[in-house]
Amino acid sequence: MLALLLACATPTVETAEASAESAPSGSVDPADCKTTCSLGDHVEDDHLDHGQIGALFEMWNEQPVGEPTIELETLLFYAPDVLEHLAERGSPELDTVHQAFLTRELARDRATMEMRLLAEDGTVRGTLVARDIPLKEKQHITFEGTGSLGHLETGGKVKRVGLDHLWSRW
């Protein structure tokens, strides 16, 4: 089980925010991880074009706000493309209620993550205290309180895949 939690031995590169908090975590250059602690993510190469986004807006505008429909979930999954579209072209296909809801949901770009490393008998062998991390950015975070286990680090990321759904790999 320990092997599943440990990431590559790539040195941690701390962000300014992490340094200011004196937290032993930080963002990592995705190129460093792609070859050492994770495989490439082919989904990162998939994008929606302006025509697809406009069509999704039109279909979603006819649906109730706040319900997890395939159109809304797709717009949230491809948030960077949708944000770019909104900046360049706006959203004339959406009424003000749908526009406000989408804007609010797209602004949710962080998740709170925490972990405990447990021995078979339930003894806590290490912890990652709750912290906000940005979505879709690889992170390397060091466990605290590991005692005789020494330095333990995990790496991974969290992605938003729908209205009320996150995907996480660590």
mmCIF file of all heavy atoms in Angstrom, residues 1 8 33-35 44 51 58 61 65 72 81 88 93 107 120-121 124 136-137 146 150-151 158 164 168:
data_model
loop_
_atom_site.group_PDB
_atom_site.id
_atom_site.type_symbol
_atom_site.label_atom_id
_atom_site.label_comp_id
_atom_site.label_asym_id
_atom_site.label_seq_id
_atom_site.Cartn_x
_atom_site.Cartn_y
_atom_site.Cartn_z
ATOM 1 N N MET A 1 0.821 -1.184 0.000
ATOM 2 C CA MET A 1 0.000 0.000 0.000
ATOM 3 C C MET A 1 0.868 1.252 0.000
ATOM 4 O O MET A 1 0.539 2.224 -0.647
ATOM 5 C CB MET A 1 -0.904 0.008 1.223
ATOM 6 C CG MET A 1 -1.694 1.276 1.336
ATOM 7 S SD MET A 1 -2.962 1.114 2.557
ATOM 8 C CE MET A 1 -3.104 2.797 3.022
ATOM 9 N N CYS A 8 6.914 10.042 -7.307
ATOM 10 C CA CYS A 8 8.301 9.998 -7.749
ATOM 11 C C CYS A 8 9.190 10.820 -6.816
ATOM 12 O O CYS A 8 8.727 11.588 -6.000
ATOM 13 C CB CYS A 8 8.389 10.526 -9.165
ATOM 14 S SG CYS A 8 7.895 12.251 -9.324
ATOM 15 N N CYS A 33 6.814 15.356 -14.043
ATOM 16 C CA CYS A 33 5.998 14.222 -13.629
ATOM 17 C C CYS A 33 5.605 13.319 -14.785
ATOM 18 O O CYS A 33 5.418 12.134 -14.597
ATOM 19 C CB CYS A 33 4.732 14.697 -12.933
ATOM 20 S SG CYS A 33 4.994 15.057 -11.207
ATOM 21 N N LYS A 34 5.442 13.876 -15.944
ATOM 22 C CA LYS A 34 4.927 13.095 -17.061
ATOM 23 C C LYS A 34 5.790 11.872 -17.339
ATOM 24 O O LYS A 34 5.301 10.834 -17.735
ATOM 25 C CB LYS A 34 4.840 13.969 -18.304
ATOM 26 C CG LYS A 34 3.790 13.504 -19.277
ATOM 27 C CD LYS A 34 3.561 14.513 -20.349
ATOM 28 C CE LYS A 34 2.134 14.980 -20.232
ATOM 29 N NZ LYS A 34 1.689 15.814 -21.276
ATOM 30 N N THR A 35 7.091 11.982 -17.099
ATOM 31 C CA THR A 35 7.970 10.858 -17.397
ATOM 32 C C THR A 35 8.326 10.045 -16.164
ATOM 33 O O THR A 35 8.897 8.975 -16.299
ATOM 34 C CB THR A 35 9.279 11.363 -18.031
ATOM 35 O OG1 THR A 35 9.897 12.277 -17.128
ATOM 36 C CG2 THR A 35 9.016 12.022 -19.369
ATOM 37 N N GLU A 44 -6.142 15.925 -21.792
ATOM 38 C CA GLU A 44 -5.647 17.302 -21.821
ATOM 39 C C GLU A 44 -5.548 17.814 -23.257
ATOM 40 O O GLU A 44 -5.547 19.013 -23.492
ATOM 41 C CB GLU A 44 -4.281 17.402 -21.140
ATOM 42 C CG GLU A 44 -4.283 17.012 -19.684
ATOM 43 C CD GLU A 44 -5.095 17.939 -18.801
ATOM 44 O OE1 GLU A 44 -5.176 19.145 -19.085
ATOM 45 O OE2 GLU A 44 -5.661 17.449 -17.816
ATOM 46 N N GLY A 51 -17.988 26.448 -31.953
ATOM 47 C CA GLY A 51 -19.284 25.949 -32.414
ATOM 48 C C GLY A 51 -19.892 24.939 -31.445
ATOM 49 O O GLY A 51 -21.098 24.973 -31.173
ATOM 50 N N GLU A 58 -26.846 26.563 -26.139
ATOM 51 C CA GLU A 58 -28.231 26.571 -26.613
ATOM 52 C C GLU A 58 -29.045 25.438 -25.993
ATOM 53 O O GLU A 58 -30.172 25.650 -25.541
ATOM 54 C CB GLU A 58 -28.274 26.477 -28.139
ATOM 55 C CG GLU A 58 -27.863 27.752 -28.841
ATOM 56 C CD GLU A 58 -27.863 27.623 -30.360
ATOM 57 O OE1 GLU A 58 -28.330 26.589 -30.883
ATOM 58 O OE2 GLU A 58 -27.388 28.564 -31.018
ATOM 59 N N ASN A 61 -29.451 25.953 -22.154
ATOM 60 C CA ASN A 61 -30.331 27.074 -21.844
ATOM 61 C C ASN A 61 -31.798 26.645 -21.765
ATOM 62 O O ASN A 61 -32.606 27.308 -21.126
ATOM 63 C CB ASN A 61 -30.157 28.184 -22.883
ATOM 64 C CG ASN A 61 -30.691 29.504 -22.391
ATOM 65 O OD1 ASN A 61 -30.274 30.005 -21.351
ATOM 66 N ND2 ASN A 61 -31.626 30.075 -23.134
ATOM 67 N N VAL A 65 -31.767 25.053 -14.418
ATOM 68 C CA VAL A 65 -30.479 25.462 -13.839
ATOM 69 C C VAL A 65 -30.215 24.619 -12.593
ATOM 70 O O VAL A 65 -31.113 24.373 -11.793
ATOM 71 C CB VAL A 65 -30.504 26.966 -13.475
ATOM 72 C CG1 VAL A 65 -29.263 27.367 -12.697
ATOM 73 C CG2 VAL A 65 -30.638 27.798 -14.729
ATOM 74 N N LEU A 72 -24.395 20.589 -19.256
ATOM 75 C CA LEU A 72 -23.728 21.344 -18.190
ATOM 76 C C LEU A 72 -22.449 20.643 -17.759
ATOM 77 O O LEU A 72 -21.406 21.280 -17.590
ATOM 78 C CB LEU A 72 -24.659 21.532 -16.988
ATOM 79 C CG LEU A 72 -24.038 22.215 -15.769
ATOM 80 C CD1 LEU A 72 -23.500 23.605 -16.127
ATOM 81 C CD2 LEU A 72 -25.043 22.290 -14.630
ATOM 82 N N ASP A 81 -11.687 25.766 -21.956
ATOM 83 C CA ASP A 81 -12.202 26.130 -23.283
ATOM 84 C C ASP A 81 -13.412 27.051 -23.158
ATOM 85 O O ASP A 81 -13.558 28.007 -23.919
ATOM 86 C CB ASP A 81 -12.607 24.877 -24.063
ATOM 87 C CG ASP A 81 -11.430 23.954 -24.339
ATOM 88 O OD1 ASP A 81 -10.281 24.426 -24.365
ATOM 89 O OD2 ASP A 81 -11.668 22.746 -24.521
ATOM 90 N N GLU A 88 -13.807 35.628 -25.236
ATOM 91 C CA GLU A 88 -13.728 36.067 -26.626
ATOM 92 C C GLU A 88 -15.085 36.409 -27.238
ATOM 93 O O GLU A 88 -15.199 37.343 -28.016
ATOM 94 C CB GLU A 88 -13.067 34.987 -27.484
ATOM 95 C CG GLU A 88 -11.601 34.792 -27.187
ATOM 96 C CD GLU A 88 -10.990 33.658 -28.006
ATOM 97 O OE1 GLU A 88 -11.647 33.151 -28.951
ATOM 98 O OE2 GLU A 88 -9.859 33.270 -27.691
ATOM 99 N N GLU A 93 -26.205 32.901 -26.208
ATOM 100 C CA GLU A 93 -27.175 31.804 -26.220
ATOM 101 C C GLU A 93 -27.806 31.560 -24.845
ATOM 102 O O GLU A 93 -28.785 30.835 -24.727
ATOM 103 C CB GLU A 93 -26.503 30.487 -26.670
ATOM 104 C CG GLU A 93 -25.796 30.552 -28.005
ATOM 105 C CD GLU A 93 -24.344 31.022 -27.902
ATOM 106 O OE1 GLU A 93 -23.910 31.465 -26.824
ATOM 107 O OE2 GLU A 93 -23.647 30.945 -28.922
ATOM 108 N N ALA A 107 -16.028 29.529 -11.607
ATOM 109 C CA ALA A 107 -15.125 30.185 -10.659
ATOM 110 C C ALA A 107 -14.647 29.224 -9.569
ATOM 111 O O ALA A 107 -13.674 29.517 -8.867
ATOM 112 C CB ALA A 107 -15.809 31.395 -10.029
ATOM 113 N N GLU A 120 -1.859 -1.216 9.239
ATOM 114 C CA GLU A 120 -2.912 -2.239 9.253
ATOM 115 C C GLU A 120 -3.748 -2.210 10.523
ATOM 116 O O GLU A 120 -4.946 -2.486 10.498
ATOM 117 C CB GLU A 120 -2.287 -3.635 9.106
ATOM 118 C CG GLU A 120 -2.249 -4.109 7.698
ATOM 119 C CD GLU A 120 -1.775 -5.555 7.595
ATOM 120 O OE1 GLU A 120 -1.625 -6.264 8.616
ATOM 121 O OE2 GLU A 120 -1.549 -5.967 6.456
ATOM 122 N N ASP A 121 -3.117 -1.874 11.660
ATOM 123 C CA ASP A 121 -3.838 -1.860 12.932
ATOM 124 C C ASP A 121 -4.610 -0.565 13.170
ATOM 125 O O ASP A 121 -5.221 -0.379 14.210
ATOM 126 C CB ASP A 121 -2.885 -2.128 14.095
ATOM 127 C CG ASP A 121 -1.854 -1.022 14.278
ATOM 128 O OD1 ASP A 121 -1.877 -0.015 13.531
ATOM 129 O OD2 ASP A 121 -1.002 -1.156 15.185
ATOM 130 N N VAL A 124 -2.224 5.859 12.901
ATOM 131 C CA VAL A 124 -1.924 6.907 11.927
ATOM 132 C C VAL A 124 -0.411 7.027 11.805
ATOM 133 O O VAL A 124 0.286 7.294 12.783
ATOM 134 C CB VAL A 124 -2.546 8.260 12.343
ATOM 135 C CG1 VAL A 124 -2.161 9.354 11.355
ATOM 136 C CG2 VAL A 124 -4.060 8.146 12.445
ATOM 137 N N LYS A 136 -6.624 20.670 -11.539
ATOM 138 C CA LYS A 136 -5.888 20.345 -12.762
ATOM 139 C C LYS A 136 -4.406 20.685 -12.720
ATOM 140 O O LYS A 136 -3.754 20.692 -13.751
ATOM 141 C CB LYS A 136 -6.540 20.986 -13.983
ATOM 142 C CG LYS A 136 -7.908 20.421 -14.290
ATOM 143 C CD LYS A 136 -8.483 21.000 -15.550
ATOM 144 C CE LYS A 136 -7.867 20.270 -16.703
ATOM 145 N NZ LYS A 136 -8.487 20.573 -17.980
ATOM 146 N N GLU A 137 -3.849 20.975 -11.551
ATOM 147 C CA GLU A 137 -2.415 21.236 -11.446
ATOM 148 C C GLU A 137 -1.785 20.148 -10.601
ATOM 149 O O GLU A 137 -2.234 19.884 -9.484
ATOM 150 C CB GLU A 137 -2.148 22.592 -10.800
ATOM 151 C CG GLU A 137 -2.490 23.759 -11.684
ATOM 152 C CD GLU A 137 -2.134 25.090 -11.022
ATOM 153 O OE1 GLU A 137 -1.283 25.116 -10.106
ATOM 154 O OE2 GLU A 137 -2.723 26.092 -11.423
ATOM 155 N N THR A 146 5.448 11.409 10.155
ATOM 156 C CA THR A 146 5.741 10.066 9.667
ATOM 157 C C THR A 146 6.727 9.294 10.542
ATOM 158 O O THR A 146 6.920 8.102 10.328
ATOM 159 C CB THR A 146 6.276 10.111 8.229
ATOM 160 O OG1 THR A 146 7.428 10.953 8.190
ATOM 161 C CG2 THR A 146 5.220 10.623 7.275
ATOM 162 N N GLY A 150 10.188 8.200 7.935
ATOM 163 C CA GLY A 150 10.993 9.208 7.257
ATOM 164 C C GLY A 150 10.167 10.069 6.319
ATOM 165 O O GLY A 150 8.955 10.202 6.463
ATOM 166 N N HIS A 151 10.845 10.626 5.324
ATOM 167 C CA HIS A 151 10.218 11.548 4.366
ATOM 168 C C HIS A 151 9.304 10.770 3.425
ATOM 169 O O HIS A 151 9.741 9.899 2.697
ATOM 170 C CB HIS A 151 11.308 12.265 3.563
ATOM 171 C CG HIS A 151 10.768 13.170 2.507
ATOM 172 N ND1 HIS A 151 10.374 14.456 2.774
ATOM 173 C CD2 HIS A 151 10.540 12.970 1.186
ATOM 174 C CE1 HIS A 151 9.936 15.015 1.657
ATOM 175 N NE2 HIS A 151 10.032 14.137 0.674
ATOM 176 N N VAL A 158 -6.269 16.913 -8.833
ATOM 177 C CA VAL A 158 -7.721 16.799 -8.747
ATOM 178 C C VAL A 158 -8.296 17.555 -9.944
ATOM 179 O O VAL A 158 -7.853 18.651 -10.258
ATOM 180 C CB VAL A 158 -8.267 17.411 -7.434
ATOM 181 C CG1 VAL A 158 -9.779 17.344 -7.385
ATOM 182 C CG2 VAL A 158 -7.649 16.732 -6.229
ATOM 183 N N ASP A 164 -21.180 18.074 -9.592
ATOM 184 C CA ASP A 164 -20.878 17.702 -8.207
ATOM 185 C C ASP A 164 -19.849 16.582 -8.137
ATOM 186 O O ASP A 164 -19.894 15.754 -7.219
ATOM 187 C CB ASP A 164 -22.167 17.250 -7.493
ATOM 188 C CG ASP A 164 -23.164 18.385 -7.357
ATOM 189 O OD1 ASP A 164 -22.735 19.501 -7.023
ATOM 190 O OD2 ASP A 164 -24.364 18.154 -7.599
ATOM 191 N N SER A 168 -9.818 12.394 -8.698
ATOM 192 C CA SER A 168 -8.545 12.621 -8.024
ATOM 193 C C SER A 168 -7.639 11.420 -8.224
ATOM 194 O O SER A 168 -8.091 10.272 -8.109
ATOM 195 C CB SER A 168 -8.803 12.841 -6.530
ATOM 196 O OG SER A 168 -7.599 13.049 -5.849
#
